[in-house]
Amino acid sequence: MKYGVLKATVLALLVVGLTSCQIFFPPSTVDVKIGNVTIDTVPRDGFVLIEKDSTVALRLEQLAKEGKLKLFYGTYSGGGDLADKKAAARMEAVNELANFMQARVKSLEQKVSGVMNQYVTDEKGKEQLKSLTQSFMKRVLELASDAKIMGARVIAFYKFKLEGRTVYKVTLFFDPEQAWEAISLNQVYQQEYERLKNEAQAMGEAGRTFFQELNKVLEEAMKNPNATP
């Protein structure tokens, strides 16, 4: 037998062997996918994909390629009908989103404070600007913690068994760029934004530079949830 034929035979036997192993000894976990994107990996035991939203497949793939995809998860293993279980799991995921955005905005506040100290040297004017900036960031925090404004939605609902109990789980998705657009178009946000803008511009070149930098770091942090704020 020629070497090439022997090599092909060995490879074929190897592929058959690996396939057989997967049939008789399947992996202990299963990937939950929407389109080409794996959104979660859970135990295979008792796994059932109850529902998924395939309409977001292309957007998930785009955000994943750009490094901007951020998902949140919630679980529930108590009683109730299926709708109750989904609602309870979703509530946990919404809380995860809110906690994440709160921590993110807090970090952003520190960065904005550093930008202010860098560009604004007038201590009297700085105090007023600081007060308005704090009020503005408070509004950003409130809006960023609101799941409805953020456009957060459940894109998959599934169940599996873990340590003898059935766990119901949801994957919550929000589009960071659409969420930022919703925040920036909010009336309360715009009011605070204009107040801060006017105060900054009244301080001359230093204030205008600060305001430009604030816009830059705010937009970068909110449009990419995986970037360091």
Side-chain angles (χ1 to χ4, degrees), residues 72-76 82-98 146-157 168-173:
F72 298 88
Y73 305 92
T75 61
Y76 181 72
L82 198 60
D84 292 334
K85 292 171 181 177
K86 180 180 178 181
R90 179 186 179 278
M91 182 59 66
E92 184 176 277
V94 166
N95 287 336
E96 288 295 315
L97 167 61
D146 188 322
K148 291 183 179 179
I149 292 177
M150 295 293 283
R153 57 175 165 159
V154 172
I155 58 172
F157 178 40
Y168 291 82
K169 190 172 185 179
V170 301
T171 298
L172 189 74
F173 164 71

Side-chain angles (χ1 to χ4, degrees), residues 14-228:
L14 181 61
V15 170
V16 171
L18 290 173
T19 303
S20 299
C21 287
Q22 291 180 343
I23 293 174
F24 293 107
F25 305 100
S28 60
T29 59
V30 60
D31 290 337
V32 184
K33 301 185 74 172
I34 293 183
N36 296 321
V37 178
T38 298
I39 61 171
D40 198 7
T41 300
V42 298
R44 180 178 294 275
D45 185 22
F47 172 75
V48 176
L49 179 59
I50 301 170
E51 60 184 63
K52 71 174 182 178
D53 182 357
S54 297
T55 64
V56 298
L58 292 178
R59 186 56 177 158
L60 290 177
E61 188 171 350
Q62 180 183 356
L63 289 171
K65 287 181 178 179
E66 295 174 353
K68 296 179 180 179
L69 181 61
K70 183 71 176 178
L71 302 172
F72 298 88
Y73 305 92
T75 61
Y76 181 72
S77 55
D81 60 23
L82 198 60
D84 292 334
K85 292 171 181 177
K86 180 180 178 181
R90 179 186 179 278
M91 182 59 66
E92 184 176 277
V94 166
N95 287 336
E96 288 295 315
L97 167 61
N99 291 336
F100 172 80
M101 294 309 299
Q102 286 170 9
R104 191 161 190 82
V105 174
K106 288 295 183 183
S107 296
L108 188 57
E109 281 182 320
Q110 295 178 359
K111 188 168 185 178
V112 169
S113 179
V115 171
M116 183 186 300
N117 290 331
Q118 179 180 354
Y119 292 103
V120 182
T121 57
D122 180 358
E123 292 300 326
K124 184 178 180 180
K126 184 186 291 187
E127 284 304 311
Q128 176 67 8
L129 190 62
K130 182 178 180 180
S131 176
L132 288 174
T133 301
Q134 288 174 340
S135 178
F136 171 71
M137 295 303 298
K138 181 181 179 181
R139 297 302 179 199
V140 172
L141 176 58
E142 291 173 353
L143 296 170
S145 301
D146 188 322
K148 291 183 179 179
I149 292 177
M150 295 293 283
R153 57 175 165 159
V154 172
I155 58 172
F157 178 40
Y158 39 103
K159 67 176 182 177
F160 52 88
K161 288 186 177 180
L162 181 65
E163 299 177 351
R165 60 190 175 90
T166 300
V167 177
Y168 291 82
K169 190 172 185 179
V170 301
T171 298
L172 189 74
F173 164 71
F174 80 102
D175 187 317
E177 294 180 354
Q178 290 182 4
W180 175 238
E181 181 178 359
I183 290 174
S184 59
L185 291 176
N186 181 273
Q187 184 177 2
V188 175
Y189 172 91
Q190 289 185 341
Q191 289 172 350
E192 295 285 349
Y193 181 88
E194 287 301 318
R195 288 176 61 198
L196 180 57
K197 178 182 177 181
N198 292 336
E199 180 66 25
Q201 290 182 336
M203 297 184 67
E205 185 62 29
R208 287 192 292 271
T209 302
F210 159 72
F211 191 71
Q212 289 173 357
E213 290 298 314
L214 179 143
N215 276 300
K216 185 186 301 183
V217 297
L218 187 62
E219 188 168 332
E220 288 176 353
M222 300 301 284
K223 281 190 173 182
N224 186 355
N226 295 317
T228 301

